[in-house]
Amino acid sequence: MFYLLFLSIIILMISNIFILLSFIISKKSIMDREKCSPFECGFDPMNLPRIPFSLHFFLITVIFLIFDIEIALILPMIISFKSVNFIIWWKISSFFIIMLLIGLYHEWNQNMLNWTI
């Protein structure tokens, strides 16, 4: 009994020593203002917070989200093809794809797909 208690205390001490050593070794030695500041969206956080950013960047993000959600909605349609009525499935799928094509045409017509800034 005493042997198990002694062994558990030794294991606890060794693990605490390893935790302390890893904390000391991984500690960053240089902490300056730029390293502590967050990096977000490619903007310099040291500038004024009210500086305007490119609307093109925002539009590219929205287009990416739309097409990302599109894939998440099309995949269950493909999986559910065998388990639902074909005519209902065809109507829903056609409506969804037509809406996406209308959105793509609108983006193309508004020159949102030009990747130059």
Side-chain angles (χ1 to χ4, degrees):
M1 187 65 146
F2 180 72
Y3 177 72
L4 288 175
L5 180 65
F6 180 72
L7 185 63
S8 64
I9 291 173
I10 293 294
I11 291 173
L12 183 66
M13 287 175 56
I14 290 173
S15 64
N16 283 337
I17 288 172
F18 278 127
I19 290 172
L20 183 67
L21 281 174
S22 67
F23 181 72
I24 291 171
I25 290 172
S26 69
K27 185 92 172 156
K28 293 180 182 176
S29 59
I30 300 173
M31 292 290 200
D32 61 349
R33 183 175 172 211
E34 269 197 49
K35 284 189 179 181
C36 292
S37 67
F39 178 77
E40 189 170 338
C41 300
F43 299 112
D44 187 15
M46 302 303 158
N47 289 341
L48 296 173
R50 305 261 173 165
I51 192 166
F53 65 96
S54 173
L55 187 61
H56 190 71
F57 175 78
F58 176 73
L59 291 175
I60 290 172
T61 306
V62 169
I63 291 170
F64 171 75
L65 287 175
I66 289 171
F67 286 113
D68 193 36
I69 292 172
E70 165 195 342
I71 295 210
L73 293 175
I74 285 179
L75 284 176
M77 280 186 197
I78 297 168
I79 294 171
S80 68
F81 175 71
K82 291 184 179 181
S83 62
V84 297
N85 188 358
F86 176 72
I87 295 173
I88 295 172
W89 180 87
W90 185 80
K91 286 180 183 179
I92 293 173
S93 299
S94 298
F95 176 74
F96 182 69
I97 291 174
I98 287 171
M99 291 300 291
L100 287 173
L101 289 174
I102 289 171
L104 182 63
Y105 174 73
H106 177 69
E107 291 168 359
W108 190 3
N109 196 20
Q110 296 292 321
N111 290 330
M112 290 183 205
L113 298 178
N114 291 337
W115 299 107
T116 59
I117 295 177

